[in-house]
């Protein structure tokens, strides 16, 4: 169970989205043996001149030697393309069967040079498209998410290593060079295979929408169905063995109709993995998560593999990760430790954006200037109903130039450009400290006086910024790790509002995951609080033009 206080954990560099993207580069391809074809011929050269730079570069590192000269090499390519299903991609996007059919005409004896040339480049172009999708993602995130603000770097394929794998006839090895080389991605691949196997075996039973929640100690057929449902995803210890197979052995097996302690613990683990209150009671929310179809879970895994392909590159050794849908912040420190805390993120109608930036400074004892959206939608209606609201909330009224105004002098039906500001203090919405990083969305990490919200299992409750449990401890770590000579608690104690610049900027990434591998090997499925999965799944399944 996740403790109330923040914790230190030692995290391996292969942990969830940790580490820098492998710099893919390599020496030029060695000269081929004299028995191999010496060049691609004028027909291919002419077509290459009008092709993409990446395709031209592939043949350049090969010394202009062709690749797809026999049926075996094409068969290997076709099988590798079909195998991309294991990465949640759609093999039919790459037309493997059409490619194999075209190879018969291109490679048959007497085929003209033009046909061979067109097929040669078609096959290579298809491979490079698949490698690009595998390394950086098939879907452009900006087309399906208006709040996306993370740059996707161009693919950095190691064309020389890919060429060597192709010369060895090992297209699968070439594919492996593009796949994100991180343990969490491999865990998602394994999870996808596991859930597809569950689907192949018929899925899991749907539980009845019982009037009363199922509780520890209950008995009945509904408990048996619950046991079978949890066993389907890997809780084998919940299933009783068939005594008919072992008539002479006394079996220690659970009674399937009884909601016993083992079943309670399995339910609690399921609840934790789905960001539900882990009380061991199957109420409406837990029942809804249990009844989610295996097909839906497969789609969610595929969506998050695509998100991993977007993000698993260009990351530094040390950075702050905000997992929006998981309500979780992790600071991967330079010494290899990981500091972790629970967070509160934006409500569905005020979503926390996905972005990448750098933490530049911290504000100690911050004042709070009411953001335009909150002022328009939340504060002004309250001021119009109750003129005393401003005094109750200790809000000062300022002109656009910063001059303090008498609230009675303002026409609150049309206040113009006035600003509302709350002074530093225990009731300030930003608490005692703000962690700031430049971004167009005006979001930041901050303290809060409403610390009780961290105890909730689902915490999409803010107006877009991220409230961090134990943020004072995070601030001191940032000071210490960047060589910034400052003591957080002393600065807070003197009561002054001030900005403290970090001696070295710290990268920060805000991202959205609805499936994540857990340390116990199971996949955690989070509520899709911003309804982003469907658009991504639809885009993944949409055919591409090669």
């Amino acid at each position: 169970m996740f403790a109330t206080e923040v914790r230190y954990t030692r995290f391996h560099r292969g942990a969830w989205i940790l580490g820098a993207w492998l710099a893919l580069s390599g020496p030029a391809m060695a000269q081929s043996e004299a028995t191999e074809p010496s060049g691609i011929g004028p027909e291919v050269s002419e077509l290459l001149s009008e092709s993409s730079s990446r395709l031209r570069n592939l043949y350049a590192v090969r010394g202009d030697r062709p690749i797809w000269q026999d049926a075996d090499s094409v068969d290997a390519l076709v099988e590798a393309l079909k195998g991309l299903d294991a990465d949640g991609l759609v093999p039919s996007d790459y037309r493997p069967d059409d490619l194999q059919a075209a190879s018969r005409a291109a490679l048959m004896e007497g085929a003209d040079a033009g046909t061979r040339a067109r097929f040669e480049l078609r096959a290579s172009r298809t491979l490079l498209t698949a490698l690009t999708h595998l390394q950086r993602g098939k879907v452009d995130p900006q087309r399906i998410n208006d709040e996306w603000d993370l740059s996707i770097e161009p693919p950095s394929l190691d064309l020389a290593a890919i060429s060597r794998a192709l010369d060895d006839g090992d297209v699968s090895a070439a594919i492996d060079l593009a796949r994100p080389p991180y343990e969490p991605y491999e865990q998602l691949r394994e999870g996808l295979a596991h859930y597809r196997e569950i689907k192949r075996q018929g899925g899991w039973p749907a539980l009845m929408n019982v009037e009363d929640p199922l509780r520890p100690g209950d008995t009945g057929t509904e408990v048996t169905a619950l046991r079978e449902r949890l066993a389907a995803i890997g809780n084998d210890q919940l299933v009783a063995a068939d005594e008919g197979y072992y008539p002479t052995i006394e079996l220690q097996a659970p009674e399937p109709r009884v909601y016993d302690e083992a079943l309670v613990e399995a339910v609690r683990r399921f609840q934790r993995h789905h960001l539900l209150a882990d009380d061991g009671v199957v109420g409406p929310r837990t029942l809804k998560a249990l009844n989610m179809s295996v097909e839906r879970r497969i789609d969610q895994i595929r969506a998050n593999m695509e998100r991993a392909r977007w993000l698993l590159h260009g990351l530094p050794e040390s950075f702050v990760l905000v997992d929006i849908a998981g309500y979780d912040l992790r600071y991967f420190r330079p010494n290899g430790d990981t500091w972790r805390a629970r967070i509160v993120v934006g409500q569905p109608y005020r979503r926390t954006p996905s972005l990448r930036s750098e933490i530049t400074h911290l504000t100690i004892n911050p004042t709070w200037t009411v953001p335009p959206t909150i002022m328009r939608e939340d504060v002004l209606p309250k001021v119009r109903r109750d003129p005393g609201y401003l005094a109750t909330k200790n809000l000062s009224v300022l002109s656009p130039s910063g001059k303090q105004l008498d609230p009675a002098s303002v026409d609150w039906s049309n206040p113009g450009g006035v600003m509302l500001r709350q002074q530093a203090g225990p009731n300030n919405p930003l608490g005692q400290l703000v962690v700031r990083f430049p971004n167009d969305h005006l979001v930041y990490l901050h303290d809060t006086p409403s610390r009780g919200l961290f105890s909730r299992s689902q915490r999409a409750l803010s107006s877009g910024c991220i409230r961090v449990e134990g943020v004072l401890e995070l601030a001191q770590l940032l000071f210490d790790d960047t060589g910034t000579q400052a003591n957080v608690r002393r600065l807070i104690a003197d009561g002054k509002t001030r900005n403290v610049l970090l001696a070295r900027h710290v990268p920060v990434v805000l991202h959205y995951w609805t499936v994540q591998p857990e340390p116990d090997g199971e996949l955690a499925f989070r509520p899709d609080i911003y309804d982003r999965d469907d658009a991504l799944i639809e885009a993944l399944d949409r055919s591409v033009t090669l």
Side-chain angles (χ1 to χ4, degrees):
M1 183 175 180
F2 190 42
T4 300
E5 68 275 7
V6 294
R7 303 178 297 171
Y8 287 100
T9 56
R10 172 68 64 173
F11 233 74
H12 189 273
R13 286 297 179 192
W16 187 229
I17 72 165
L18 173 62
W21 177 257
L22 180 63
L24 295 177
S25 60
M29 179 65 192
Q31 290 293 322
S32 60
E33 298 177 7
T35 56
E36 295 181 351
S38 60
I40 54 179
E43 293 81 9
V44 176
S45 294
E46 182 178 350
L47 293 173
L48 263 180
S49 66
E50 302 173 358
S51 300
S52 68
S53 60
R54 191 176 298 123
L55 191 60
R56 295 196 302 272
N57 291 340
L58 173 63
Y59 283 93
V61 300
R62 295 180 56 76
D64 283 345
R65 291 179 299 108
I67 304 170
W68 316 106
Q69 294 294 294
D70 56 71
D72 288 343
S73 64
V74 176
D75 289 345
L77 173 60
V78 168
E79 288 306 307
L81 294 175
K82 290 180 177 179
L84 290 174
D85 184 54
D87 290 274
L89 294 169
V90 182
S92 60
D93 281 342
Y94 313 104
R95 322 287 195 273
D97 293 333
D98 292 349
L99 198 65
Q100 192 158 51
S103 72
R104 298 188 186 101
L107 300 180
M108 66 181 298
E109 186 176 351
D112 64 87
T115 300
R116 285 179 174 270
R118 286 189 294 273
F119 175 78
E120 171 75 25
L121 294 192
R122 175 184 173 181
S124 295
R125 189 181 300 110
T126 299
L127 174 62
L128 288 175
T129 299
L131 295 175
T132 298
H133 290 173
L134 190 56
Q135 191 185 75
R136 289 295 190 267
K138 169 186 172 181
V139 178
D140 180 354
Q142 290 183 323
R143 292 190 176 184
I144 59 172
N145 181 3
D146 293 339
E147 293 146 352
W148 178 269
D149 197 13
L150 280 82
S151 60
I152 301 294
E153 298 176 9
S156 53
L157 298 171
D158 187 345
L159 297 179
I162 290 168
S163 178
R164 289 192 291 272
L166 296 176
D167 281 339
D168 291 338
D170 194 346
V171 183
S172 292
I175 294 285
D176 289 342
L177 290 167
R179 184 175 289 117
Y182 294 102
E183 182 180 353
Y185 185 84
E186 184 57 33
Q187 289 174 311
L188 286 173
R189 290 185 82 235
E190 292 171 358
L192 179 62
H194 175 58
Y195 276 79
R196 280 178 168 160
E197 177 61 20
I198 293 173
K199 178 183 176 181
R200 190 189 67 78
Q201 294 180 4
W204 47 61
L207 305 182
M208 295 177 61
N209 290 311
V210 292
E211 274 188 36
D212 297 321
L214 288 176
R215 300 180 183 277
D218 285 352
T219 60
T221 57
E222 296 87 356
V223 176
T224 303
L226 173 63
R227 188 180 295 276
E228 292 173 353
R229 166 65 179 85
L230 292 172
I233 58 174
N235 295 276
D236 297 333
Q237 73 281 3
L238 297 178
V239 181
D242 187 343
E243 296 182 10
Y245 284 101
Y246 308 98
T248 62
I249 301 175
E250 184 177 351
L251 296 174
Q252 298 296 320
E255 168 54 53
R257 291 169 52 86
V258 177
Y259 201 154
D260 58 16
E261 284 300 319
L263 184 55
V264 171
E265 181 50 41
V267 169
R268 294 183 67 195
R269 184 166 60 251
F270 179 90
Q271 290 169 327
R272 288 194 293 271
H273 287 174
H274 292 74
L275 293 182
L276 300 164
D278 59 340
D279 54 10
V281 175
V282 180
R285 288 188 175 183
T286 301
L287 185 64
K288 181 179 179 181
L290 286 164
N291 281 339
M292 191 72 69
S293 70
V294 66
E295 290 82 7
R296 178 62 179 177
R297 293 310 189 199
I298 288 170
D299 280 342
Q300 286 183 290
I301 297 170
R302 293 178 58 227
N304 284 273
M305 293 181 76
E306 179 75 351
R307 290 182 177 122
R309 291 187 285 264
W310 291 340
L311 188 64
L312 284 177
H313 58 84
L315 294 174
E317 284 294 310
S318 176
F319 69 107
V320 172
L321 168 70
V322 174
D323 180 358
I324 299 169
Y327 311 120
D328 178 71
L329 179 145
R330 300 183 193 188
Y331 170 34
F332 300 104
R333 301 184 62 198
N335 66 0
D337 285 345
T338 299
W339 185 90
R340 184 175 182 180
R342 295 181 289 195
I343 60 175
V344 173
V345 301
Q347 301 172 67
Y349 65 94
R350 287 185 183 159
R351 302 176 178 183
T352 299
S354 297
L355 62 85
R356 189 183 304 210
S357 184
E358 290 186 331
I359 298 171
T360 56
H361 65 284
L362 281 66
T363 303
I364 310 295
N365 296 317
T367 61
W368 181 57
T369 301
V370 180
T373 300
I374 297 177
M375 182 168 177
R376 181 178 64 253
E377 297 181 2
D378 296 347
V379 177
L380 283 180
K382 295 175 182 177
V383 173
R384 290 164 185 156
R385 288 195 301 267
D386 178 13
Y389 176 82
L390 296 175
T392 301
K393 296 297 183 181
N394 194 27
L395 288 168
S396 300
V397 183
L398 306 176
S399 70
S401 63
K403 178 183 177 181
Q404 188 156 344
L405 303 174
D406 180 355
S409 68
V410 177
D411 178 5
W412 292 106
S413 65
N414 186 21
V418 301
M419 297 183 293
L420 299 180
R421 180 170 297 161
Q422 189 175 65
Q423 297 304 307
N427 296 320
N428 188 292
L430 303 183
Q432 297 175 305
L433 184 143
V434 177
V435 178
R436 300 193 184 273
F437 41 93
N439 65 89
D440 293 335
H441 304 272
L442 304 178
V443 298
Y444 36 79
L445 311 176
H446 67 89
D447 188 20
T448 175
S450 304
R451 293 182 173 87
L453 297 178
F454 293 117
S455 63
R456 298 189 183 185
S457 56
Q458 297 187 24
R459 300 184 292 275
L461 304 166
S462 81
S463 295
C465 290
I466 302 100
R467 307 174 194 176
V468 182
E469 185 179 32
V471 71
L472 304 190
E473 188 175 1
L474 171 63
Q476 191 61 57
L477 293 177
L478 292 172
F479 285 156
D480 295 344
D481 292 347
T482 59
T484 304
Q485 301 302 311
N487 184 288
V488 170
R489 297 195 180 276
R490 289 178 187 170
L491 291 172
I492 290 173
D494 75 10
K496 294 181 181 178
T497 299
R498 69 181 80 194
N499 290 323
V500 181
L501 300 179
L502 292 183
R504 186 175 67 254
H505 295 176
V506 176
V508 59
V509 176
L510 280 58
H511 200 35
Y512 187 85
W513 307 97
T514 54
V515 180
Q516 189 180 57
E518 289 294 309
D520 62 9
E522 292 188 21
L523 296 183
F525 294 88
R526 288 84 171 273
D528 183 15
I529 54 175
Y530 295 163
D531 295 323
R532 289 178 175 166
D533 280 351
D534 285 344
L536 177 50
I537 293 165
E538 182 182 348
L540 269 176
D541 288 339
R542 194 177 300 134
S543 297
V544 298
T545 302
L546 296 179

